[in-house]
Amino acid sequence: MSSHISPPSIQEKDLEKDQEPQVTQQTPSRASTPTVASREDENDADSVNAEFERETFGPEPGEKGWDKYEVRITPDDPDSPFRMSRVRRWYITMLGGILVLNATFASSTPSGIVPEMMEYFGFGREVATLTISLFVAGYCVGPLFWGPLSETYGRKPVLFVSFVIYTAFQIGCALSKNTASIIIFRFLGGCFAASPLVVSGALIGDIWDPNTRGKALAFFTLGPFAGPALGPIASGFMSVSGVSWRWTYWLMTIFAGVCSILIFFTLPETYTPILVVKRAQKLRKETGDQNYWAPLERKKLTIVQRLEEVVARPFKVLFAEPMLMALSLFMSFVYGCIYLLFEAFPIVFSIGHGFNAGILGLMFLPLFLGGCLGVVGYLVIWNPKYERLAKECAPHPVPPEARLEQALWAGPAFAISFFWFGWTSYPSISFWAPMMSSVFLGFSVVWIFLGIFNYIIDCYLYVAASALAINAVMRSSFGASFPLFATQMYESLNPRWASTLVGLIACLLVPIPFVLIKYGPALRHKSKYAPTKPIPPKPVKSEEESV
């Protein structure tokens, strides 16, 4: 092993700054040229990661290519997203979670009005399933654009434009007169609703340091998980109440429209390179000196090059990173299983136990409650443990592999929950038995999602949006395809053996976090996109040494 240790990255310096409250740093003036923090020369300055770091924060004085007119925003700058008040940052976090909840709520809501749509449009059960699958299939297309575009034009414009168009397609669904129109509008709605699935996660990475990011993502993760669970409850009771099926889509339209308004009026821009561009424009206007410039302004690309960068970057990150590919496969299977339940639950609870659409929707409630318990468990168990590790590793950041420890427990629990659901699904057994397996399932899914989300953001800080984009594409492809074969699988194999098959596949994926905890540091050392090199944790002093 080489004895050379790379100097701390920007992320590490921000963590070190948080660990030394006694040191008073002078805050730069908003009107002045951005200040520069000292840093040693990096041996990997020509690496891909150094390119993204330089694009975000610029070079240091004396570094090759440094220009005093290059505008910068350092983490301790008043305009930095890290310097916003905690109340405002928590609001942004909650808004990001609501946007994801909106998108995933819309994906599953039509499941409760399937009979009404079949009667009105005259299509079969398979086509009705497409109203869910094609919406989720839109998640496979949208993230390819929304993630990279947010790294080019900023988080707020991408979220606002996509949500306005998504709202319009919801109106189209509510007014649909034929099968073709509702199928097309559902697919296009999914493409535009996918933006918060990748941008919201990157937005949280923009505003939180690693210590607090875990807490923020704990609440954020409820969005992609709670939405699919709550959608059938709302539509199921709307179905039995006698209102038109169109009101389900009007409900989603109102929800999307309110979110669009909140984005426009309350969401600030958080992406540092875009903030640097705005500062450069302001300095040129105030001083009349046109020499001020931002790195993003000098990226002059043709339309073909821009499209290649926007669409290809997520795939470049995926195929260059085996650890990202493995974790995305794990998360994709888990995500697909959530949508598989939309076909499995009606077979177990409606056919097996005779429940109507409203009561069937309530069967998803334990799934949501399990997710809430998962968040509480994370905040009580894993986040305090991470904070202790942060103190032990200071001034260096905690290795990202620490994020995966909870997945070591959640992976087996996820597999067990499907064995539980399957072998208690006999009509002769109380419905409480299979229903309560969803609590265990929801708990494990949240822990898996939180571990993987945190790991991806910690590993790929500067290209987090692209990494999350390809992750969203993979898991959405599973979410879109699983409902298409779930009904046939559960009818032909019966719920016992179908669930057993799912549980056995889950068992095959359980070793992934174990392998990455052991070999992750070596893989990150070879990575082109990981923001830090593996750094040995700082040894903890004993009480005698401290004295």
Side-chain angles (χ1 to χ4, degrees):
M1 182 181 293
S2 173
S3 60
H4 174 73
I5 297 178
S6 299
S9 67
I10 295 297
Q11 179 186 6
E12 295 164 349
K13 290 190 291 185
D14 186 51
L15 178 59
E16 182 176 359
K17 175 185 57 143
D18 291 339
Q19 297 292 336
E20 299 178 357
Q22 295 87 354
V23 179
T24 304
Q25 297 182 349
Q26 183 177 0
T27 303
S29 169
R30 292 176 182 266
S32 63
T33 302
T35 60
V36 177
S38 61
R39 180 175 65 180
E40 301 175 17
D41 293 333
E42 293 189 30
N43 291 340
D44 61 345
D46 58 345
S47 68
V48 175
N49 175 66
E51 175 186 340
F52 287 114
E53 183 174 347
R54 181 175 177 134
E55 179 181 300
T56 303
F57 297 104
E60 301 292 348
E63 192 176 331
K64 183 179 179 180
W66 182 75
D67 181 355
K68 66 178 181 179
Y69 289 105
E70 181 178 351
V71 180
R72 301 178 56 225
I73 294 180
T74 55
D76 60 344
D77 192 284
D79 287 339
S80 170
F82 290 102
R83 288 299 178 182
M84 288 190 292
S85 69
R86 291 185 68 86
V87 172
R88 192 178 191 194
R89 282 184 287 167
W90 274 114
Y91 170 77
I92 294 172
T93 301
M94 296 303 175
L95 178 58
I98 290 173
L99 297 181
V100 175
L101 174 66
N102 188 319
T104 55
F105 176 84
S107 69
S108 65
T109 300
S111 64
I113 55 171
V114 165
E116 289 83 353
M117 289 194 298
M118 291 173 61
E119 180 181 355
Y120 181 86
F121 293 106
F123 48 53
R125 178 79 189 187
E126 291 76 12
V127 177
T129 303
L130 287 177
T131 60
I132 297 175
S133 293
L134 285 179
F135 191 92
V136 182
Y139 296 170
C140 301
V141 179
L144 295 176
F145 295 91
W146 306 131
L149 282 173
S150 74
E151 294 170 345
T152 304
Y153 299 104
R155 315 299 193 200
K156 181 173 181 175
V158 168
L159 284 172
F160 177 69
V161 172
S162 62
F163 250 76
V164 169
I165 300 176
Y166 158 56
T167 304
F169 285 129
Q170 294 295 87
I171 297 175
C173 291
L175 299 176
S176 293
K177 299 294 185 181
N178 53 61
T179 302
S181 61
I182 194 165
I183 291 297
I184 292 172
F185 285 140
R186 284 291 289 172
F187 173 72
L188 293 176
C191 292
F192 286 88
S195 63
L197 299 183
V198 289
V199 179
S200 291
L203 184 147
I204 290 175
D206 291 340
I207 62 178
W208 291 111
D209 60 87
N211 283 356
T212 317
R213 190 185 305 137
K215 296 178 184 177
L217 280 175
F219 293 101
F220 168 80
T221 304
L222 276 178
F225 176 76
L230 296 178
I233 298 175
S235 60
F237 278 104
M238 292 181 75
S239 173
V240 298
S241 67
V243 301
S244 170
W245 60 269
R246 297 183 186 276
W247 271 105
T248 301
Y249 289 103
W250 285 121
L251 173 65
M252 292 185 281
T253 301
I254 295 170
F255 193 4
V258 171
C259 287
S260 301
I261 295 172
L262 291 176
I263 293 171
F264 184 78
F265 287 105
T266 67
L267 181 66
E269 181 56 62
T270 62
Y271 190 46
T272 299
I274 295 297
L275 296 176
V276 172
V277 170
K278 292 182 178 180
R279 174 174 282 189
Q281 293 170 344
K282 181 180 179 181
L283 287 172
R284 289 196 296 264
K285 182 178 179 181
E286 291 180 349
T287 65
D289 190 341
Q290 298 304 308
N291 289 320
Y292 288 107
W293 61 280
L296 207 59
E297 294 177 310
R298 295 202 171 181
K299 295 182 68 175
K300 303 298 183 183
L301 302 177
T302 65
I303 295 178
V304 175
Q305 290 173 327
R306 178 69 68 185
L307 288 175
E308 181 181 359
E309 180 181 278
V310 167
V311 177
R313 180 186 284 183
F315 289 99
K316 289 179 180 177
V317 176
L318 176 69
F319 292 116
E321 302 295 324
M323 49 190 175
L324 177 62
M325 188 177 297
L327 288 173
S328 295
L329 176 64
F330 190 13
M331 183 182 282
S332 298
F333 179 77
V334 171
Y335 193 72
C337 288
I338 295 175
Y339 283 89
L340 178 143
L341 296 179
F342 298 137
E343 304 302 317
F345 272 31
I347 293 175
V348 172
F349 295 112
S350 291
I351 298 177
H353 291 278
F355 294 158
N356 61 30
I359 303 301
L360 174 63
L362 288 179
M363 297 299 102
F364 289 90
L365 189 58
L367 191 66
F368 173 64
L369 295 178
C372 294
L373 290 176
V375 170
V376 173
Y378 175 84
L379 295 176
V380 171
I381 300 173
W382 300 110
N383 197 72
K385 185 174 183 179
Y386 187 86
E387 291 177 346
R388 289 195 298 269
L389 284 173
K391 294 178 181 179
E392 295 174 7
C393 295
H396 303 301
V398 179
E401 286 72 30
R403 300 289 197 181
L404 293 176
E405 187 175 351
Q406 65 208 60
L408 304 183
W409 299 86
F414 178 79
I416 291 172
S417 66
F418 266 93
F419 293 130
W420 177 355
F421 173 72
W423 292 100
T424 59
S425 62
Y426 289 98
S428 58
I429 298 177
S430 170
F431 70 90
W432 282 95
M435 184 182 74
M436 295 310 294
S437 70
S438 299
V439 176
F440 206 51
L441 177 65
F443 190 94
S444 60
V445 168
V446 165
W447 276 20
I448 291 171
F449 271 45
L450 276 173
I452 295 178
F453 267 133
N454 277 299
Y455 183 83
I456 289 175
I457 293 177
D458 282 2
C459 276
Y460 307 106
L461 185 64
Y462 300 114
V463 289
S466 292
L468 292 172
I470 198 64
N471 176 271
V473 169
M474 283 189 63
R475 73 173 188 265
S476 298
S477 64
F478 279 58
S481 59
F482 274 39
L484 298 178
F485 64 78
T487 300
Q488 291 81 354
M489 183 176 75
Y490 269 77
E491 287 179 346
S492 59
L493 295 180
N494 74 51
R496 271 71 63 192
W497 288 108
S499 297
T500 299
L501 176 61
V502 174
L504 291 174
I505 296 174
C507 289
L508 296 177
L509 299 175
V510 164
I512 289 177
F514 287 86
V515 172
L516 283 180
I517 284 179
K518 182 174 182 179
Y519 298 105
L523 291 172
R524 288 191 293 112
H525 186 77
K526 300 176 182 179
S527 171
K528 295 193 302 181
Y529 295 98
T532 58
K533 299 296 173 88
I535 299 176
K538 180 180 177 182
V540 183
K541 294 182 179 180
S542 63
E543 294 182 3
E544 293 79 8
E545 291 174 330
S546 300
V547 175

PDB file of all heavy atoms in Angstrom, residues 16 36 47 85 88 92 98 116 157 251 257 294 299 322 335 346-348 389 419 481 498 501 522 539-540:
ATOM      1  N   GLU A  16     -14.012  18.846   8.481  1.00  0.00           N
ATOM      2  CA  GLU A  16     -13.001  19.254   9.444  1.00  0.00           C
ATOM      3  C   GLU A  16     -13.362  20.583  10.064  1.00  0.00           C
ATOM      4  O   GLU A  16     -13.198  20.806  11.258  1.00  0.00           O
ATOM      5  CB  GLU A  16     -11.661  19.341   8.720  1.00  0.00           C
ATOM      6  CG  GLU A  16     -10.499  19.707   9.636  1.00  0.00           C
ATOM      7  CD  GLU A  16      -9.175  19.689   8.891  1.00  0.00           C
ATOM      8  OE1 GLU A  16      -9.181  19.373   7.699  1.00  0.00           O
ATOM      9  OE2 GLU A  16      -8.159  19.989   9.538  1.00  0.00           O
ATOM     10  N   VAL A  36     -10.330  32.361  -1.112  1.00  0.00           N
ATOM     11  CA  VAL A  36      -9.713  31.096  -1.467  1.00  0.00           C
ATOM     12  C   VAL A  36      -9.124  30.471  -0.215  1.00  0.00           C
ATOM     13  O   VAL A  36      -8.452  31.133   0.555  1.00  0.00           O
ATOM     14  CB  VAL A  36      -8.609  31.301  -2.514  1.00  0.00           C
ATOM     15  CG1 VAL A  36      -7.917  29.989  -2.819  1.00  0.00           C
ATOM     16  CG2 VAL A  36      -9.178  31.905  -3.781  1.00  0.00           C
ATOM     17  N   SER A  47      -7.444  14.009 -12.926  1.00  0.00           N
ATOM     18  CA  SER A  47      -8.427  12.927 -12.893  1.00  0.00           C
ATOM     19  C   SER A  47      -9.820  13.466 -13.150  1.00  0.00           C
ATOM     20  O   SER A  47     -10.069  14.669 -13.097  1.00  0.00           O
ATOM     21  CB  SER A  47      -8.392  12.208 -11.543  1.00  0.00           C
ATOM     22  OG  SER A  47      -8.861  13.076 -10.543  1.00  0.00           O
ATOM     23  N   SER A  85     -29.771  28.959   6.526  1.00  0.00           N
ATOM     24  CA  SER A  85     -30.208  28.593   7.874  1.00  0.00           C
ATOM     25  C   SER A  85     -30.676  27.142   7.897  1.00  0.00           C
ATOM     26  O   SER A  85     -31.149  26.607   6.891  1.00  0.00           O
ATOM     27  CB  SER A  85     -31.351  29.507   8.326  1.00  0.00           C
ATOM     28  OG  SER A  85     -32.520  29.257   7.576  1.00  0.00           O
ATOM     29  N   ARG A  88     -34.281  26.694   6.884  1.00  0.00           N
ATOM     30  CA  ARG A  88     -34.525  26.731   5.443  1.00  0.00           C
ATOM     31  C   ARG A  88     -34.055  25.440   4.777  1.00  0.00           C
ATOM     32  O   ARG A  88     -34.719  24.921   3.873  1.00  0.00           O
ATOM     33  CB  ARG A  88     -33.797  27.924   4.826  1.00  0.00           C
ATOM     34  CG  ARG A  88     -34.240  28.209   3.393  1.00  0.00           C
ATOM     35  CD  ARG A  88     -33.546  29.422   2.824  1.00  0.00           C
ATOM     36  NE  ARG A  88     -34.154  29.832   1.574  1.00  0.00           N
ATOM     37  CZ  ARG A  88     -33.607  30.691   0.727  1.00  0.00           C
ATOM     38  NH1 ARG A  88     -32.441  31.248   1.012  1.00  0.00           N
ATOM     39  NH2 ARG A  88     -34.223  31.007  -0.393  1.00  0.00           N
ATOM     40  N   ILE A  92     -36.281  22.770   2.582  1.00  0.00           N
ATOM     41  CA  ILE A  92     -35.917  22.288   1.248  1.00  0.00           C
ATOM     42  C   ILE A  92     -35.908  20.760   1.232  1.00  0.00           C
ATOM     43  O   ILE A  92     -36.367  20.126   0.270  1.00  0.00           O
ATOM     44  CB  ILE A  92     -34.543  22.856   0.841  1.00  0.00           C
ATOM     45  CG1 ILE A  92     -34.630  24.378   0.666  1.00  0.00           C
ATOM     46  CG2 ILE A  92     -34.039  22.203  -0.440  1.00  0.00           C
ATOM     47  CD1 ILE A  92     -33.284  25.044   0.464  1.00  0.00           C
ATOM     48  N   ILE A  98     -41.514  15.689  -0.503  1.00  0.00           N
ATOM     49  CA  ILE A  98     -42.903  15.790  -0.967  1.00  0.00           C
ATOM     50  C   ILE A  98     -42.980  15.635  -2.484  1.00  0.00           C
ATOM     51  O   ILE A  98     -43.912  15.015  -3.019  1.00  0.00           O
ATOM     52  CB  ILE A  98     -43.513  17.128  -0.519  1.00  0.00           C
ATOM     53  CG1 ILE A  98     -43.724  17.127   1.005  1.00  0.00           C
ATOM     54  CG2 ILE A  98     -44.845  17.395  -1.221  1.00  0.00           C
ATOM     55  CD1 ILE A  98     -44.175  18.458   1.566  1.00  0.00           C
ATOM     56  N   GLU A 116     -63.195   0.279 -12.784  1.00  0.00           N
ATOM     57  CA  GLU A 116     -63.917   1.386 -13.423  1.00  0.00           C
ATOM     58  C   GLU A 116     -63.296   1.746 -14.780  1.00  0.00           C
ATOM     59  O   GLU A 116     -64.012   2.008 -15.747  1.00  0.00           O
ATOM     60  CB  GLU A 116     -63.913   2.621 -12.510  1.00  0.00           C
ATOM     61  CG  GLU A 116     -64.792   2.496 -11.285  1.00  0.00           C
ATOM     62  CD  GLU A 116     -64.109   1.750 -10.144  1.00  0.00           C
ATOM     63  OE1 GLU A 116     -63.004   1.221 -10.371  1.00  0.00           O
ATOM     64  OE2 GLU A 116     -64.692   1.701  -9.047  1.00  0.00           O
ATOM     65  N   PRO A 157     -34.736  25.173 -12.101  1.00  0.00           N
ATOM     66  CA  PRO A 157     -35.394  25.210 -13.411  1.00  0.00           C
ATOM     67  C   PRO A 157     -35.850  23.834 -13.878  1.00  0.00           C
ATOM     68  O   PRO A 157     -36.946  23.691 -14.437  1.00  0.00           O
ATOM     69  CB  PRO A 157     -34.315  25.789 -14.331  1.00  0.00           C
ATOM     70  CG  PRO A 157     -33.382  26.515 -13.440  1.00  0.00           C
ATOM     71  CD  PRO A 157     -33.383  25.761 -12.150  1.00  0.00           C
ATOM     72  N   LEU A 251     -57.397  14.546  -8.486  1.00  0.00           N
ATOM     73  CA  LEU A 251     -56.683  14.639  -7.214  1.00  0.00           C
ATOM     74  C   LEU A 251     -55.178  14.728  -7.452  1.00  0.00           C
ATOM     75  O   LEU A 251     -54.483  15.561  -6.850  1.00  0.00           O
ATOM     76  CB  LEU A 251     -57.007  13.414  -6.345  1.00  0.00           C
ATOM     77  CG  LEU A 251     -56.203  13.277  -5.039  1.00  0.00           C
ATOM     78  CD1 LEU A 251     -56.519  14.426  -4.089  1.00  0.00           C
ATOM     79  CD2 LEU A 251     -56.496  11.931  -4.375  1.00  0.00           C
ATOM     80  N   GLY A 257     -50.057  20.348  -9.127  1.00  0.00           N
ATOM     81  CA  GLY A 257     -50.113  21.800  -9.318  1.00  0.00           C
ATOM     82  C   GLY A 257     -49.638  22.559  -8.094  1.00  0.00           C
ATOM     83  O   GLY A 257     -48.905  23.556  -8.214  1.00  0.00           O
ATOM     84  N   ALA A 294     -17.264  32.354 -14.946  1.00  0.00           N
ATOM     85  CA  ALA A 294     -17.514  31.137 -14.178  1.00  0.00           C
ATOM     86  C   ALA A 294     -17.184  29.934 -15.053  1.00  0.00           C
ATOM     87  O   ALA A 294     -17.373  29.980 -16.271  1.00  0.00           O
ATOM     88  CB  ALA A 294     -18.977  31.073 -13.732  1.00  0.00           C
ATOM     89  N   LYS A 299     -18.000  26.268 -20.892  1.00  0.00           N
ATOM     90  CA  LYS A 299     -18.217  24.954 -21.494  1.00  0.00           C
ATOM     91  C   LYS A 299     -19.048  25.129 -22.761  1.00  0.00           C
ATOM     92  O   LYS A 299     -20.269  24.998 -22.766  1.00  0.00           O
ATOM     93  CB  LYS A 299     -18.913  24.013 -20.516  1.00  0.00           C
ATOM     94  CG  LYS A 299     -18.078  23.673 -19.290  1.00  0.00           C
ATOM     95  CD  LYS A 299     -18.793  22.713 -18.382  1.00  0.00           C
ATOM     96  CE  LYS A 299     -18.951  21.346 -19.001  1.00  0.00           C
ATOM     97  NZ  LYS A 299     -19.539  20.371 -18.073  1.00  0.00           N
ATOM     98  N   PRO A 322     -18.306  -0.646 -10.853  1.00  0.00           N
ATOM     99  CA  PRO A 322     -18.968  -1.921 -10.523  1.00  0.00           C
ATOM    100  C   PRO A 322     -19.757  -1.864  -9.222  1.00  0.00           C
ATOM    101  O   PRO A 322     -20.775  -2.547  -9.080  1.00  0.00           O
ATOM    102  CB  PRO A 322     -17.800  -2.906 -10.431  1.00  0.00           C
ATOM    103  CG  PRO A 322     -16.582  -2.074 -10.234  1.00  0.00           C
ATOM    104  CD  PRO A 322     -16.852  -0.791 -10.942  1.00  0.00           C
ATOM    105  N   TYR A 335     -37.121  -2.459  -5.287  1.00  0.00           N
ATOM    106  CA  TYR A 335     -38.132  -1.523  -5.783  1.00  0.00           C
ATOM    107  C   TYR A 335     -39.167  -2.249  -6.638  1.00  0.00           C
ATOM    108  O   TYR A 335     -40.373  -1.978  -6.548  1.00  0.00           O
ATOM    109  CB  TYR A 335     -37.440  -0.434  -6.595  1.00  0.00           C
ATOM    110  CG  TYR A 335     -38.295   0.766  -6.913  1.00  0.00           C
ATOM    111  CD1 TYR A 335     -38.640   1.680  -5.929  1.00  0.00           C
ATOM    112  CD2 TYR A 335     -38.748   0.995  -8.209  1.00  0.00           C
ATOM    113  CE1 TYR A 335     -39.418   2.795  -6.228  1.00  0.00           C
ATOM    114  CE2 TYR A 335     -39.524   2.108  -8.513  1.00  0.00           C
ATOM    115  CZ  TYR A 335     -39.849   3.002  -7.516  1.00  0.00           C
ATOM    116  OH  TYR A 335     -40.619   4.104  -7.808  1.00  0.00           O
ATOM    117  N   PRO A 346     -54.156  -8.024  -4.457  1.00  0.00           N
ATOM    118  CA  PRO A 346     -55.534  -8.363  -4.843  1.00  0.00           C
ATOM    119  C   PRO A 346     -55.800  -9.866  -4.864  1.00  0.00           C
ATOM    120  O   PRO A 346     -56.910 -10.313  -4.529  1.00  0.00           O
ATOM    121  CB  PRO A 346     -55.653  -7.761  -6.255  1.00  0.00           C
ATOM    122  CG  PRO A 346     -54.663  -6.646  -6.273  1.00  0.00           C
ATOM    123  CD  PRO A 346     -53.516  -7.133  -5.444  1.00  0.00           C
ATOM    124  N   ILE A 347     -54.793 -10.671  -5.246  1.00  0.00           N
ATOM    125  CA  ILE A 347     -54.993 -12.120  -5.278  1.00  0.00           C
ATOM    126  C   ILE A 347     -55.135 -12.671  -3.863  1.00  0.00           C
ATOM    127  O   ILE A 347     -55.995 -13.526  -3.582  1.00  0.00           O
ATOM    128  CB  ILE A 347     -53.816 -12.796  -6.016  1.00  0.00           C
ATOM    129  CG1 ILE A 347     -53.843 -12.409  -7.498  1.00  0.00           C
ATOM    130  CG2 ILE A 347     -53.866 -14.314  -5.864  1.00  0.00           C
ATOM    131  CD1 ILE A 347     -52.662 -12.913  -8.293  1.00  0.00           C
ATOM    132  N   VAL A 348     -54.326 -12.166  -2.941  1.00  0.00           N
ATOM    133  CA  VAL A 348     -54.353 -12.684  -1.570  1.00  0.00           C
ATOM    134  C   VAL A 348     -55.541 -12.131  -0.786  1.00  0.00           C
ATOM    135  O   VAL A 348     -56.250 -12.890  -0.100  1.00  0.00           O
ATOM    136  CB  VAL A 348     -53.033 -12.355  -0.845  1.00  0.00           C
ATOM    137  CG1 VAL A 348     -53.125 -12.714   0.640  1.00  0.00           C
ATOM    138  CG2 VAL A 348     -51.866 -13.081  -1.498  1.00  0.00           C
ATOM    139  N   LEU A 389     -18.656   7.824  14.618  1.00  0.00           N
ATOM    140  CA  LEU A 389     -17.590   7.527  13.660  1.00  0.00           C
ATOM    141  C   LEU A 389     -16.992   8.798  13.082  1.00  0.00           C
ATOM    142  O   LEU A 389     -15.777   8.866  12.826  1.00  0.00           O
ATOM    143  CB  LEU A 389     -18.141   6.646  12.524  1.00  0.00           C
ATOM    144  CG  LEU A 389     -18.379   5.176  12.846  1.00  0.00           C
ATOM    145  CD1 LEU A 389     -19.070   4.489  11.675  1.00  0.00           C
ATOM    146  CD2 LEU A 389     -17.075   4.479  13.176  1.00  0.00           C
ATOM    147  N   PHE A 419     -41.064 -14.656   2.598  1.00  0.00           N
ATOM    148  CA  PHE A 419     -41.427 -15.999   3.058  1.00  0.00           C
ATOM    149  C   PHE A 419     -42.617 -15.917   4.013  1.00  0.00           C
ATOM    150  O   PHE A 419     -43.534 -16.750   3.959  1.00  0.00           O
ATOM    151  CB  PHE A 419     -40.225 -16.643   3.764  1.00  0.00           C
ATOM    152  CG  PHE A 419     -39.066 -16.929   2.849  1.00  0.00           C
ATOM    153  CD1 PHE A 419     -37.782 -16.521   3.190  1.00  0.00           C
ATOM    154  CD2 PHE A 419     -39.247 -17.604   1.657  1.00  0.00           C
ATOM    155  CE1 PHE A 419     -36.707 -16.779   2.357  1.00  0.00           C
ATOM    156  CE2 PHE A 419     -38.183 -17.877   0.810  1.00  0.00           C
ATOM    157  CZ  PHE A 419     -36.905 -17.457   1.162  1.00  0.00           C
ATOM    158  N   SER A 481     -41.603  -3.478 -14.967  1.00  0.00           N
ATOM    159  CA  SER A 481     -41.762  -4.820 -15.527  1.00  0.00           C
ATOM    160  C   SER A 481     -42.375  -5.821 -14.549  1.00  0.00           C
ATOM    161  O   SER A 481     -43.091  -6.743 -14.981  1.00  0.00           O
ATOM    162  CB  SER A 481     -40.402  -5.348 -16.004  1.00  0.00           C
ATOM    163  OG  SER A 481     -39.473  -5.401 -14.937  1.00  0.00           O
ATOM    164  N   ALA A 498     -44.903 -18.440  -5.253  1.00  0.00           N
ATOM    165  CA  ALA A 498     -44.473 -17.211  -5.933  1.00  0.00           C
ATOM    166  C   ALA A 498     -43.674 -16.332  -4.972  1.00  0.00           C
ATOM    167  O   ALA A 498     -42.607 -15.806  -5.320  1.00  0.00           O
ATOM    168  CB  ALA A 498     -45.684 -16.452  -6.469  1.00  0.00           C
ATOM    169  N   LEU A 501     -40.251 -17.839  -4.312  1.00  0.00           N
ATOM    170  CA  LEU A 501     -39.314 -17.561  -5.395  1.00  0.00           C
ATOM    171  C   LEU A 501     -38.701 -16.170  -5.234  1.00  0.00           C
ATOM    172  O   LEU A 501     -37.479 -15.988  -5.375  1.00  0.00           O
ATOM    173  CB  LEU A 501     -40.029 -17.667  -6.744  1.00  0.00           C
ATOM    174  CG  LEU A 501     -39.193 -17.318  -7.985  1.00  0.00           C
ATOM    175  CD1 LEU A 501     -37.995 -18.248  -8.109  1.00  0.00           C
ATOM    176  CD2 LEU A 501     -40.054 -17.370  -9.239  1.00  0.00           C
ATOM    177  N   ALA A 522     -10.940  -0.600  -1.806  1.00  0.00           N
ATOM    178  CA  ALA A 522     -10.064  -0.877  -2.945  1.00  0.00           C
ATOM    179  C   ALA A 522     -10.720  -0.445  -4.246  1.00  0.00           C
ATOM    180  O   ALA A 522     -10.054   0.096  -5.145  1.00  0.00           O
ATOM    181  CB  ALA A 522      -9.725  -2.366  -2.990  1.00  0.00           C
ATOM    182  N   PRO A 539      -7.014   6.873  14.709  1.00  0.00           N
ATOM    183  CA  PRO A 539      -7.185   6.038  15.907  1.00  0.00           C
ATOM    184  C   PRO A 539      -7.740   6.839  17.070  1.00  0.00           C
ATOM    185  O   PRO A 539      -7.412   8.005  17.255  1.00  0.00           O
ATOM    186  CB  PRO A 539      -5.765   5.540  16.193  1.00  0.00           C
ATOM    187  CG  PRO A 539      -4.867   6.533  15.516  1.00  0.00           C
ATOM    188  CD  PRO A 539      -5.617   7.010  14.303  1.00  0.00           C
ATOM    189  N   VAL A 540      -8.596   6.184  17.840  1.00  0.00           N
ATOM    190  CA  VAL A 540      -9.216   6.835  18.995  1.00  0.00           C
ATOM    191  C   VAL A 540      -8.262   6.751  20.186  1.00  0.00           C
ATOM    192  O   VAL A 540      -7.741   5.682  20.511  1.00  0.00           O
ATOM    193  CB  VAL A 540     -10.554   6.159  19.346  1.00  0.00           C
ATOM    194  CG1 VAL A 540     -11.211   6.891  20.499  1.00  0.00           C
ATOM    195  CG2 VAL A 540     -11.453   6.141  18.129  1.00  0.00           C
TER     196      VAL A 540
END
